[in-house]
Amino acid sequence: MSEAGRPVVLIVMGSETDAPKMEPASEALKRLGVPHEVMVASAHRTPARVAELAQGARERGLRVIIAGAGGAAHLAGVIAAHTTLPVIGVPVSSSPLSGLDALLATAQMPSGVPVATVAIDGARNAGLLAAAILAVRDEMLAERLTQLRREMAARVEEASGRVGGTR
Ligand code: RP5
């Protein structure tokens, strides 16, 4: 459980080796003050654990699940099959196919069981999207997201000041 309070987002990854690629999701949520929980569970190596996790998530107070995996990345889809909470999939570039396999496996869900798939290694956006979903009913969080956008825009302006100009 997060030090900030009861977790509302679960970040789950298929292997410990995914951790460096999934860390930006946690960083984004930390930055926005969203309490979250991080764990490893595998759709193939610990299928019963994944089902149990997904089935109990809503009751535990979780509101969004972020699932990252590489290769034959079925984690997000299997979780989505076991819960009606919003599931965000992160295809991880851990295989010889550089994540293209994970992207297709995560995104190409059958009609009726959606997974919102971000880019290959797009864990930061997954964190931001989870926050945006929560911000639908949280004005303070929405304001923090707006502030983040302002800062991003300011950095672009600064970059233009450094690189751009009349020549
Ligand atoms: C996937 O296989 C994991 O999500 C990871 O990206 C990949 C390799 O896992 P390890 O063999 O490194 O544990 O299930």
Side-chain angles (χ1 to χ4, degrees):
M1 181 161 146
S2 161
E3 282 171 21
R6 188 176 166 159
V8 288
V9 177
L10 171 64
I11 299 174
V12 55
M13 62 199 84
S15 169
E16 186 178 6
T17 58
D18 297 322
K21 298 273 172 66
M22 290 301 292
E23 183 56 24
S26 180
E27 282 165 12
L29 291 170
K30 242 183 268 170
R31 168 77 205 273
L32 291 161
V34 177
H36 55 284
E37 186 178 0
V38 181
M39 63 175 63
V40 175
S42 165
H44 306 117
R45 294 166 177 160
T46 60
R49 172 79 183 118
V50 168
E52 174 198 79
L53 205 59
Q55 284 161 6
R58 186 184 293 277
E59 207 172 283
R60 288 205 297 120
L62 294 160
R63 293 294 170 255
V64 185
I65 300 176
I66 296 172
H74 298 130
L75 183 59
V78 167
I79 289 175
H82 286 287
T83 181
T84 53
L85 288 175
V87 177
I88 303 170
V90 182
V92 174
S93 63
S94 60
S95 74
L97 298 183
S98 306
L100 194 55
D101 43 1
L103 174 63
L104 297 177
T106 305
Q108 293 297 111
M109 287 295 291
S111 174
V113 188
V115 167
T117 306
V118 295
I120 296 171
D121 295 340
R124 179 167 186 263
N125 270 0
L128 295 174
L129 181 56
I133 292 168
L134 295 167
V136 168
R137 297 190 61 177
D138 183 336
E139 284 302 319
M140 278 168 59
L141 182 54
E143 180 47 43
R144 289 199 285 274
L145 277 167
T146 303
Q147 179 57 29
L148 213 59
R149 294 280 176 105
R150 282 194 206 106
E151 291 170 18
M152 188 170 63
R155 281 198 299 277
V156 173
E157 288 302 322
E158 285 163 21
S160 185
R162 283 193 302 273
V163 174
T166 308
R167 291 172 194 181

